[in-house]
Amino acid sequence: MARVKGALLDVLLLLLLLLLLLLSAQTLPLVAAGDPHNCDAPLASSLPQLSFSSSSQLSSSHGPGFARLNRRDGAGGWTPLVSNKYQWLQIDLGERMEVTAVATQGGYGSSDWVTSYLLMFSDGGRNWKQYHQEESISGFPGNTNADSVVQYSLQPSFHTRFLRFLPLAWNPKGRIGMRIEVYGCSYKSEVVYFDGQSSLLYKFDSGAMRPIREVIFLKFKAMQNSGIIFHGKGQHGTHIVLELIKGKLVINLSSGDVNLPPVSSIMNFTLGSLLDDRHWHSVLIELQSVHVSLTLDKYIHHVHVNKESSYLDLNSEISFGEILMPGGHFLTFPHKNFHGCLENIYYNGVDIIKLAKKHESQILIKGNVSFTCLQPQAIPVTFLSSGSYLALPGSLRDDKMSLAFQLRTWNKAGHVFYSQLGSGSGSLVLFLKNGKLTLSISEAGQSLKNITTGAVLSDGLWHSVSLSAKGSYLSLVIDGEASARTLISVGIYLGDTCYFGACPDNSSSLGCEHSLGGFQGCLRLISIGEQVVDPTALQQGELGSFSDLQIDSCGIIDRCLPSHCEHGSRCTQSWDTFSCDCEGTGYTGTTCHSSLYEQSCEAHRHRGSPSGLYYIDVDGSGPLAPFLVYCNMTADTAWTVIQHGGPDVVTVRGGPEGHMHSANFSYAASAAQLHAVVEVAEHCEQQVDLQCRTSGPSDTGDGTSLSWWVGRTNETYTYWGGYLPDPQKCTCGLEGNCIDSQYHCNCDADWNEWTSDTIVLSHKEHLPVTEMVVTDTGRPHSEAAYTLGPLLCQGDKSFWNSASFNTEASYLHFPTFHGELTADVHFLFKTAISSGVFMENLGITDFIRIELRAPTEVTFSFDVGNGPCELTVQSPTPFNDNRWHHVRAERNVKGASLQVDQLPQKTQSTPADGHVRLQLNSQLFIGGTASRQKGFLGCIRSLQVNGMALDLEGRAIMTPGVEPGCPGHCSSYGHLCRNGGRCQEKHRGIACDCAFSAYDGPLCSHEISAYFEAGSSVTYNFQEYSPLSENTSYLASSLHGDVTLSRETITLSFRTTQTPCLLLYVSSFSEEYLSVILANNGSLQVRYKLDRHRNADAFNFDLRNLADGHFHQLMINREEAVVSVKVNQSTKRQVVLSSGAEFNAVKSLILGKVSEPLDADPETQQAATRGFTGCLSSVRFGLEVPLKAALNQNGARVTVQGSVAAAAHCAEGLGSAVRKLSPGTSIGAGHSGSTEDRQPLPNTDRSDPGIIGENFGSWNFTGFKKINYHSPLLHTFGKTAKLNHQIALICHPLTVFQDDFQTFVFLFENKFIFEI
């Protein structure tokens, strides 16, 4: 037993040891010596005076050696001879150190101090790099007096030997004066140098256990912009290549054999830019199974390789500098080897360089590898602005002229070089235009010669330029390749002075000025003739002259890394700024942050949009892209319709027991988009129509379901109907009308005849359906077919989410608003007060605030460290009108904007090289401030911050002084109810009551039209008395025999070619009448007889022939004896009646032919006998709508004779009739189901017209073909779009697609639209 216990203990110890080894392999070792948590020791105070140097000194007692912090020796600090921006103070730390902080003072007891400065660093005292503490911050704020210490922690820290302080601004009443200190700790490293022909191969210890995670760390300094840095091969044939390509780091994960390039690429992605700047960059690669993490400097990129066969571990050998295959074979590969230095190469904690220096057996060295890093010798010069210039002496006159340099820039245009020709009779100019270099030669008596190269040089890479002339030939060479060669009249040579960049202000007489502005970028390796230019001689004043240059540094930065362009937009840049191309993204703004589209169909509805196809962007400026849906606008709400791409009809026939039939359904939106739509909807549903015969029960008898469906979260559900999952009943079971009462579904009754079930799934958290499964029961004669309709979602909770603020001290609070680089706020407000704060969020010094500052002013203010910034929108009318107003505020790294309603947008750009991060830490206050002052009284609605909706109502429920919701929407949206429709308040929005409008539809804008065939008529009898409005002299809702009218308004529209014809006839019990006719010549005649004892007043409006087959609109308005007639919205005439001023005992209104005898004038009788043939629409007499009542089958008040057919739109021509009204003495009442313009008719089988099912129409069609299409409006429905087999009956093609004829033609040609 003791031996067994001992063996178990040994096993446990071994397992513990293995675990420790695995864990240790996952930890990256520290490469810096010392305690990383205590790296803040002063580094400069102990250095000798010779370690300090400067551009100049005022005197020996103002030398750089006296620039130590808090020292008073000498004159108490460093002061240069001249105070200008070309001065610098430099420190040599003796070796590379980690620098974590800097501190500054002014000159002791003086008026000399620096108020801002740049910090530069370098490994070898050449090729300086500027330290950027924040994305756009270049300078450090300095001192405000001589003796206080200002210290800055450097995040991130960096490693260097040399530092330079470059004063940018100083006390205007003194000079530059500095005392400094640098803080940090020692830094130890191992380096290896590759000359572009050399490499290292590391062979793993064959006996070592493979770690769970593999970690590779290294730093690189590149001398060329391309080259292989690292290569490894996995056990499963996977290659990992880390390569520098044109200054960018590319990692390639690929599968295949040793034949590279890889035959099957898994993934390729790029990080970084300008990595050939000859400075150190760190790389960390972490591999674990199929997960890859790549960190470049401070930027991290995570990748999941979604491929089961790809296990991303390394095998037995890895190489650095070039691709070396296992066994040490060197593979010929078209890409370049790495030229530069690598530092601190670690693989799973193993120091590769240290092993190489010891010539360990695991290391194979190829070529000339050294363990010191050579410092670059080329000295770059930065042209900081378009006014920067460098003037150098020209070459001596010779039989050959030559000029050479290298340039690096983002700018597409700029004046690069100018020189007069040595003879003084012309000039030679080099300039960039559209990214290409152009040589322009001007010679006396000769035409101007322009030569443009084919290469684009504005890509941020170094490009070599060489210009030479010998004899009568001039040659221009770009990157070693001849780009242009031209013949010149005589030999040319440069003048006495050559100008790079812009020209001095005093050189305009030389013809040096250029409309493109001066070159901005970097130059190096400048040579004129055979003389190489030494930029250090410029600094010392020994050579030429210059302005606004930075010598010994290339200050180019990549403003597109990281890219602040959002939503997939393309970032382009110049030297000073960047811009975002938003084309095709669906977003707008300087960073493509704000969506172009409404957030929902509900939002489209309250913009007055009709039914149709629309893009929606559910999360606004959030990450979800806009997508296309169909918005069905009903009288009460808006339905969002999202089609699926599954089969139209799924047929299931009997088969072996247990055999499963499965159908999958994908949608024209991503899973995240579907989730967002469902979450904000008030209600969602999806309908299943099932046809079945001898299908048997839906379960096995023990409760096991034989069919089920899968929702959006991949959960399986067995219930079939209703909102809650518990009932497990079809619609007939829920309504209690199944064909067999003992079953909850018709198909469970096992009838031998075809029967059907309708199932409405409405538990929205489970929708949409992504898969349906039916299991066979072994019944050979059973059959079933089912159809899944589109996902239908109603309403938008966030659009109406609101709160009412009742006291100035009340507010709602939410978590801190995190909008460091981009912040946008959208909301609506209404109020009656003159001022108040809508929202506020504070930081230590930063803040953001939006407020109503005055009745006509909304102000957006913020501070990100550059001082307060304000944007104010002023309105010509007050905002405190108790109507909804829309506020959209945005701040990003490019600037800020504020827009209220449709007023002009206010914008302001971000200061150049200013702070860009908005750092907040307090709660977000809505409707007030933390001080409880300047609170807001009124309503705030639909608040979104960076695309995320805030639940105002949820917070208001638990907050004193704030109530959820806000009434009174008609004041803002009532105008959407058109053509006399009345706005009705709802808790969430409005509805339009069209009862007294001659129009129909959700917004009372659907034209009520009918086609009258010859001899047909509609008679509308005014019913018995019902309560009227207070204005009893005007028609309210009905007329009766005792009503006397002193005024009425009549409107109608028509299209006809018949003359004469009767447009409208109104009779009365007192033998009075009104007739509107078209005479024989097509002119309009209006006849009033308002006194039975007098002749009728006849007015002939001889405007033109109105029986011309065109659409015409007519309005007649009578005020007692004054009659006004308007035709087609423009022509208006006014006449005065002589027969009377009151219309007594109105009886009926007739449209079309009058069959009964008339006691009227002959012209009216003739027209009444002919009747009307053509299209009539929008007929209204006061508040009575006779044609609408006829088409809606509105009770016994309407009599139809002959053939009268409903038409879509009179305005669109004849022949669009879709439904004939049966002739008879009367038409029974019934629901019309008419809807908005461009909206399919609602399903008249449903009891509630506001709730639609899968089918929009009253007719079913089957057998539609599947189609692939590329319509620009429909492409987001997916690669294959299928409309449901139950579709809209579109009465006239242009009803739905009158604004998108291309889409209509596409649907019509593919048999998705049938015109009846």
Side-chain angles (χ1 to χ4, degrees):
M1 179 64 71
R3 290 181 179 178
V4 172
K5 289 182 178 179
L8 289 174
L9 182 61
D10 290 342
V11 171
L12 289 173
L13 289 173
L14 179 59
L15 290 174
L16 180 61
L17 179 60
L18 291 174
L19 180 60
L20 290 173
L21 287 172
L22 288 173
L23 290 174
S24 65
Q26 299 181 54
T27 304
L28 185 69
L30 294 174
V31 295
D35 186 356
H37 302 291
N38 187 27
C39 190
D40 56 1
L43 303 179
S45 57
S46 59
L47 295 175
Q49 283 200 5
L50 292 178
S51 297
F52 295 80
S53 58
S54 64
S55 53
S56 65
Q57 60 189 44
L58 183 62
S59 67
S60 58
S61 59
H62 292 84
F66 301 111
R68 296 179 181 86
L69 198 70
N70 292 322
R71 296 290 292 270
R72 303 182 182 180
D73 47 344
W78 165 71
T79 297
L81 178 63
V82 178
S83 292
N84 60 33
K85 60 183 179 181
Y86 301 111
Q87 306 301 321
W88 46 262
L89 173 65
Q90 179 175 311
I91 306 174
D92 180 0
L93 298 176
E95 59 181 337
R96 290 181 69 205
M97 308 287 282
E98 181 172 2
V99 178
T100 60
V102 293
T104 61
Q105 279 177 306
Y108 171 69
S110 70
S111 57
D112 304 335
W113 62 81
V114 170
T115 57
S116 67
Y117 61 92
L118 299 180
L119 183 64
M120 313 283 286
F121 61 93
S122 169
D123 275 354
R126 285 281 182 269
N127 190 37
W128 295 87
K129 185 174 184 178
Q130 185 176 322
Y131 179 84
H132 293 271
Q133 190 168 16
E134 196 178 304
E135 280 82 355
S136 297
I137 295 297
S138 57
F140 288 83
N143 301 89
T144 57
N145 56 50
D147 294 313
S148 61
V149 176
V150 176
Q151 182 171 328
Y152 286 99
S153 177
L154 303 179
Q155 297 293 334
S157 62
F158 60 93
H159 305 117
T160 190
R161 174 178 173 178
F162 294 91
L163 288 100
R164 268 189 184 179
F165 295 81
L166 277 65
L168 294 176
W170 46 91
N171 179 20
K173 298 181 179 180
R175 295 172 173 268
I176 293 175
M178 293 191 79
R179 289 177 287 173
I180 55 94
E181 182 57 272
V182 178
Y183 301 91
C185 57
S186 61
Y187 173 74
K188 302 298 183 184
S189 68
E190 303 284 353
V191 298
V192 60
Y193 173 74
F194 299 98
D195 62 0
Q197 304 294 325
S198 52
S199 58
L200 284 180
L201 177 68
Y202 171 66
K203 296 179 291 185
F204 300 156
D205 186 352
S206 59
M209 178 174 290
R210 308 306 305 150
I212 297 175
R213 184 178 64 165
E214 298 185 88
V215 181
I216 302 144
F217 175 83
L218 58 86
K219 285 187 171 185
F220 69 89
K221 179 192 289 188
M223 303 300 174
Q224 293 182 350
N225 63 16
S226 298
I228 297 291
I229 296 177
F230 163 80
H231 169 257
K233 182 177 182 296
Q235 293 182 6
H236 303 273
T238 302
H239 293 275
I240 304 174
V241 178
L242 188 68
E243 183 178 9
L244 195 65
I245 300 179
K246 292 185 177 181
K248 299 181 179 181
L249 194 64
V250 178
I251 185 168
N252 188 294
L253 309 176
S254 53
S255 61
D257 54 22
V258 298
N259 298 317
L260 294 175
V263 297
S264 176
S265 178
I266 301 175
M267 190 165 296
N268 180 297
F269 56 93
T270 302
L271 285 180
S273 176
L274 308 176
L275 300 178
D276 58 337
D277 58 358
R278 303 188 179 184
H279 286 274
W280 290 108
H281 299 278
S282 62
V283 178
L284 174 65
I285 304 174
E286 298 172 273
L287 308 175
Q288 186 171 0
S289 182
V290 293
H291 300 278
V292 181
S293 176
L294 176 63
T295 304
L296 173 63
D297 296 331
K298 60 180 179 179
Y299 303 112
I300 304 176
H301 193 85
H302 297 285
V303 176
H304 174 80
V305 180
N306 189 19
K307 193 170 183 181
E308 296 179 359
S309 62
S310 301
Y311 184 85
L312 299 177
D313 66 339
L314 299 179
N315 192 0
S316 58
E317 299 175 343
I318 55 177
S319 58
F320 302 89
E322 71 174 314
I323 294 181
L324 301 177
M325 300 312 301
H329 301 291
F330 304 105
L331 185 68
T332 302
F333 193 58
H335 293 198
K336 296 180 180 179
N337 289 357
F338 178 71
H339 182 197
C341 305
L342 299 184
E343 178 184 61
N344 291 336
I345 306 175
Y346 284 89
Y347 169 74
N348 288 346
V350 177
D351 189 338
I352 304 296
I353 299 178
K354 192 172 184 179
L355 293 178
K357 291 174 72 174
K358 294 181 178 180
H359 300 284
E360 297 287 350
S361 59
Q362 298 144 286
I363 300 294
L364 175 65
I365 299 177
K366 175 203 170 185
N368 183 22
V369 172
S370 62
F371 298 100
T372 58
C373 188
L374 302 179
Q375 299 303 323
Q377 299 302 312
I379 301 176
V381 176
T382 302
F383 291 70
L384 297 171
S385 70
S386 60
S388 300
Y389 73 88
L390 170 60
L392 295 171
S395 59
L396 297 176
R397 182 167 181 171
D398 200 350
D399 62 346
K400 179 181 179 182
M401 181 274 290
S402 64
L403 171 71
F405 56 88
Q406 292 184 357
L407 65 79
R408 183 174 212 171
T409 186
W410 297 116
N411 283 12
K412 296 182 180 296
H415 186 271
V416 179
F417 176 82
Y418 168 84
S419 177
Q420 283 191 320
L421 297 180
S423 61
S425 58
S427 63
L428 184 148
V429 179
L430 286 172
F431 60 91
L432 285 170
K433 188 174 182 179
N434 298 323
K436 298 182 178 182
L437 192 65
T438 295
L439 169 64
S440 180
I441 303 174
S442 170
E443 296 181 87
Q446 300 288 328
S447 60
L448 185 68
K449 294 185 177 67
N450 285 332
I451 306 168
T452 300
T453 64
V456 174
L457 307 184
S458 55
D459 55 2
L461 301 177
W462 284 108
H463 295 279
S464 62
V465 178
S466 176
L467 178 66
S468 61
K470 186 173 183 180
S472 58
Y473 284 95
L474 186 145
S475 175
L476 178 62
V477 178
I478 305 295
D479 292 331
E481 297 182 3
S483 296
R485 184 175 176 87
T486 186
L487 186 67
I488 53 179
S489 58
V490 294
I492 63 172
Y493 54 93
L494 300 179
D496 295 335
T497 305
C498 298
Y499 295 97
F500 290 88
C503 295
D505 294 336
N506 59 1
S507 65
S508 59
S509 60
L510 303 177
C512 182
E513 67 279 354
H514 203 283
S515 60
L516 296 176
F519 170 78
Q520 284 181 278
C522 302
L523 297 182
R524 69 180 184 187
L525 301 178
I526 302 173
S527 64
I528 300 174
E530 302 299 328
Q531 185 67 36
V532 177
V533 176
D534 180 9
T536 58
L538 293 171
Q539 288 181 309
Q540 299 167 2
E542 299 173 358
L543 179 67
S545 62
F546 61 89
S547 175
D548 207 17
L549 299 185
Q550 197 173 74
I551 297 174
D552 208 357
S553 170
C554 181
I556 190 171
I557 60 174
D558 192 340
R559 298 180 185 272
C560 290
L561 185 72
S563 177
H564 297 297
C565 297
E566 302 180 50
H567 299 113
S569 57
R570 188 172 66 93
C571 180
T572 58
Q573 61 186 310
S574 63
W575 186 263
D576 296 317
T577 187
F578 72 92
S579 60
C580 302
D581 182 1
C582 306
E583 184 177 357
T585 65
Y587 296 85
T588 187
T590 53
T591 60
C592 308
H593 178 76
S594 299
S595 181
L596 290 170
Y597 303 105
E598 299 291 342
Q599 67 192 54
S600 63
C601 288
E602 184 76 8
H604 278 292
R605 179 175 182 265
H606 283 82
R607 288 181 62 87
S609 302
S611 298
L613 295 168
Y614 295 98
Y615 281 98
I616 62 171
D617 196 332
V618 186
D619 66 342
S621 61
L624 298 180
F627 59 102
L628 196 65
V629 299
Y630 184 85
C631 294
N632 189 34
M633 312 301 185
T634 66
D636 298 320
T637 188
W639 287 85
T640 302
V641 184
I642 303 179
Q643 294 285 347
H644 64 72
D648 293 328
V649 180
V650 180
T651 303
V652 181
R653 292 182 172 85
E657 184 174 357
H659 180 260
M660 292 188 297
H661 300 267
S662 175
N664 294 290
F665 302 91
S666 59
Y667 292 81
S670 68
Q673 290 168 333
L674 290 171
H675 176 80
V677 169
V678 171
E679 283 297 307
V680 301
E682 300 277 356
H683 167 82
C684 291
E685 65 181 54
Q686 202 161 7
Q687 182 171 306
V688 182
D689 288 323
L690 177 63
Q691 307 281 334
C692 57
R693 184 177 68 174
T694 63
S695 57
S698 60
D699 58 48
T700 59
D702 60 358
T704 303
S705 179
L706 294 174
S707 60
W708 61 88
W709 56 278
V710 180
R712 74 168 186 263
T713 60
N714 289 325
E715 296 287 334
T716 299
Y717 306 104
T718 58
Y719 71 93
W720 293 100
Y723 175 75
L724 295 175
D726 297 332
Q728 299 192 18
K729 299 178 182 179
C730 297
T731 300
C732 73
L734 294 171
E735 297 177 351
N737 57 9
C738 292
I739 58 176
D740 190 332
S741 60
Q742 63 179 320
Y743 295 105
H744 300 310
C745 291
N746 290 327
C747 287
D748 288 348
D750 198 18
W751 280 29
N752 196 30
E753 299 177 359
W754 282 101
T755 186
S756 63
D757 275 312
T758 298
I759 300 167
V760 178
L761 302 172
S762 54
H763 191 67
K764 75 168 191 171
E765 286 74 14
H766 297 166
L767 297 177
V769 177
T770 59
E771 183 182 8
M772 294 183 69
V773 180
V774 178
T775 305
D776 281 322
T777 60
R779 302 164 63 93
H781 300 294
S782 64
E783 290 183 84
Y786 65 85
T787 299
L788 177 68
L791 174 66
L792 308 175
C793 287
Q794 169 194 359
D796 179 357
K797 293 186 294 185
S798 66
F799 186 76
W800 294 109
N801 191 296
S802 59
S804 300
F805 297 83
N806 301 323
T807 67
E808 290 190 2
S810 61
Y811 59 83
L812 299 178
H813 61 84
F814 292 88
T816 304
F817 179 25
H818 294 291
E820 286 81 1
L821 296 176
T822 298
D824 80 272
V825 182
H826 288 211
F827 64 90
L828 293 99
F829 76 91
K830 69 174 184 176
T831 185
I833 64 170
S834 59
S835 64
V837 175
F838 299 123
M839 66 156 287
E840 180 183 83
N841 207 157
L842 305 177
I844 298 176
T845 57
D846 292 2
F847 72 88
I848 184 171
R849 182 184 302 113
I850 305 176
E851 61 185 310
L852 180 67
R853 182 165 290 181
T856 59
E857 293 183 1
V858 172
T859 298
F860 173 36
S861 56
F862 59 90
D863 189 351
V864 295
N866 304 315
C869 175
E870 286 189 356
L871 292 88
T872 298
V873 169
Q874 293 183 322
S875 172
T877 58
F879 290 120
N880 58 341
D881 55 0
N882 216 24
R883 301 181 65 180
W884 288 114
H885 298 281
H886 191 187
V887 177
R888 288 153 290 189
E890 180 182 346
R891 189 215 71 86
N892 54 52
V893 297
K894 292 280 288 182
S897 65
L898 174 66
Q899 186 166 22
V900 184
D901 298 332
Q902 300 303 314
L903 294 169
Q905 185 183 62
K906 295 293 184 180
T907 60
Q908 185 165 329
S909 299
T910 299
D913 293 324
H915 292 271
V916 295
R917 288 191 176 272
L918 177 64
Q919 298 177 337
L920 306 173
N921 54 26
S922 75
Q923 291 180 319
L924 171 61
F925 292 90
I926 302 299
T929 64
S931 62
R932 299 198 175 189
Q933 297 178 355
K934 300 174 64 177
F936 173 73
L937 292 175
C939 298
I940 295 178
R941 194 188 101 215
S942 190
L943 174 62
Q944 289 188 335
V945 292
N946 276 356
M948 182 179 67
L950 299 186
D951 185 7
L952 299 173
E953 294 180 353
R955 289 297 176 102
I957 292 174
M958 60 187 71
T959 305
V962 186
E963 295 180 1
C966 185
H969 301 305
C970 278
S971 61
S972 298
Y973 297 109
H975 68 280
L976 296 178
C977 298
R978 303 165 192 162
N979 302 304
R982 295 181 177 180
C983 181
Q984 294 181 328
E985 287 286 344
K986 295 174 59 182
H987 173 62
R988 293 182 180 274
I990 64 165
C992 296
D993 181 4
C994 306
F996 304 117
S997 171
Y999 291 74
D1000 209 340
L1003 304 178
C1004 307
S1005 59
H1006 180 82
E1007 180 184 313
I1008 301 297
S1009 305
Y1011 180 70
F1012 287 69
E1013 293 186 8
S1016 60
S1017 68
V1018 170
T1019 302
Y1020 181 84
N1021 298 306
F1022 299 111
Q1023 65 181 2
E1024 294 301 318
Y1025 179 79
S1026 62
L1028 303 178
S1029 65
E1030 296 179 358
N1031 184 5
T1032 56
S1033 67
Y1034 192 77
L1035 283 162
S1037 61
S1038 64
L1039 298 174
H1040 61 97
D1042 297 329
V1043 169
T1044 297
L1045 299 178
S1046 62
R1047 62 179 65 91
E1048 69 272 339
T1049 299
I1050 305 155
T1051 62
L1052 62 87
S1053 301
F1054 64 91
R1055 182 195 292 264
T1056 187
T1057 57
Q1058 175 189 339
T1059 60
C1061 68
L1062 177 69
L1063 297 177
L1064 176 144
Y1065 181 82
V1066 181
S1067 64
S1068 79
F1069 292 100
S1070 57
E1071 300 180 19
E1072 299 173 358
Y1073 67 87
L1074 160 66
S1075 66
V1076 182
I1077 67 175
L1078 295 184
N1080 290 319
N1081 62 358
S1083 64
L1084 176 69
Q1085 293 185 2
V1086 178
R1087 298 170 181 266
Y1088 268 100
K1089 183 176 181 180
L1090 300 184
D1091 188 335
R1092 60 191 297 182
H1093 302 295
R1094 295 186 181 184
N1095 293 327
D1097 288 303
F1099 302 102
N1100 186 7
F1101 296 89
D1102 192 12
L1103 305 171
R1104 62 185 178 92
N1105 180 12
L1106 298 182
D1108 57 0
H1110 294 293
F1111 183 71
H1112 299 288
Q1113 296 171 299
L1114 174 64
M1115 175 183 286
I1116 302 172
N1117 182 69
R1118 184 181 68 88
E1119 293 282 343
E1120 295 182 337
V1122 180
V1123 178
S1124 299
V1125 178
K1126 180 186 290 187
V1127 179
N1128 294 335
Q1129 305 294 328
S1130 58
T1131 306
K1132 184 175 182 180
R1133 298 284 179 85
Q1134 190 174 81
V1135 295
V1136 178
L1137 302 177
S1138 62
S1139 62
E1142 294 181 341
F1143 201 168
N1144 298 293
V1146 177
K1147 175 185 176 183
S1148 62
L1149 182 149
I1150 301 174
L1151 304 173
K1153 182 176 180 180
V1154 180
S1155 301
E1156 62 187 41
L1158 294 182
D1159 183 12
D1161 60 273
E1163 288 80 3
T1164 297
Q1165 290 187 22
Q1166 181 187 14
T1169 302
R1170 295 288 306 277
F1172 176 82
T1173 303
C1175 191
L1176 280 175
S1177 69
S1178 307
V1179 180
R1180 179 175 175 177
F1181 184 86
L1183 293 182
E1184 300 298 321
V1185 283
L1187 185 60
K1188 181 178 181 181
L1191 296 180
N1192 288 352
Q1193 304 176 3
N1194 194 7
R1197 300 167 59 191
V1198 183
T1199 301
V1200 176
Q1201 298 291 335
S1203 178
V1204 178
H1209 293 286
C1210 277
E1212 293 170 359
L1214 306 182
S1216 59
V1218 296
R1219 179 168 55 91
K1220 291 187 177 181
L1221 303 184
S1222 300
T1225 56
S1226 66
I1227 297 176
H1231 179 67
S1232 69
S1234 61
T1235 55
E1236 180 58 274
D1237 293 5
R1238 291 188 279 180
Q1239 171 192 356
L1241 297 172
N1243 184 359
T1244 56
D1245 294 334
R1246 302 293 296 270
S1247 59
D1248 184 352
I1251 300 178
I1252 60 174
E1254 124 191 28
N1255 53 325
F1256 297 104
S1258 304
W1259 289 264
N1260 294 341
F1261 297 91
T1262 58
F1264 290 119
K1265 62 182 180 180
K1266 299 179 183 178
I1267 55 171
N1268 292 316
Y1269 61 91
H1270 305 282
S1271 167
L1273 286 178
L1274 301 179
H1275 72 275
T1276 55
F1277 272 123
K1279 294 182 179 179
T1280 302
K1282 285 165 279 185
L1283 298 184
N1284 199 274
H1285 76 290
Q1286 291 180 305
I1287 66 166
L1289 176 69
I1290 300 174
C1291 305
H1292 189 282
L1294 300 183
T1295 300
V1296 175
F1297 297 108
Q1298 60 185 349
D1299 287 341
D1300 183 15
F1301 189 72
Q1302 178 186 3
T1303 303
F1304 158 71
V1305 169
F1306 165 77
L1307 294 177
F1308 189 82
E1309 289 177 349
N1310 286 278
K1311 299 182 181 179
F1312 284 98
I1313 296 174
F1314 289 79
E1315 185 179 358
I1316 304 299

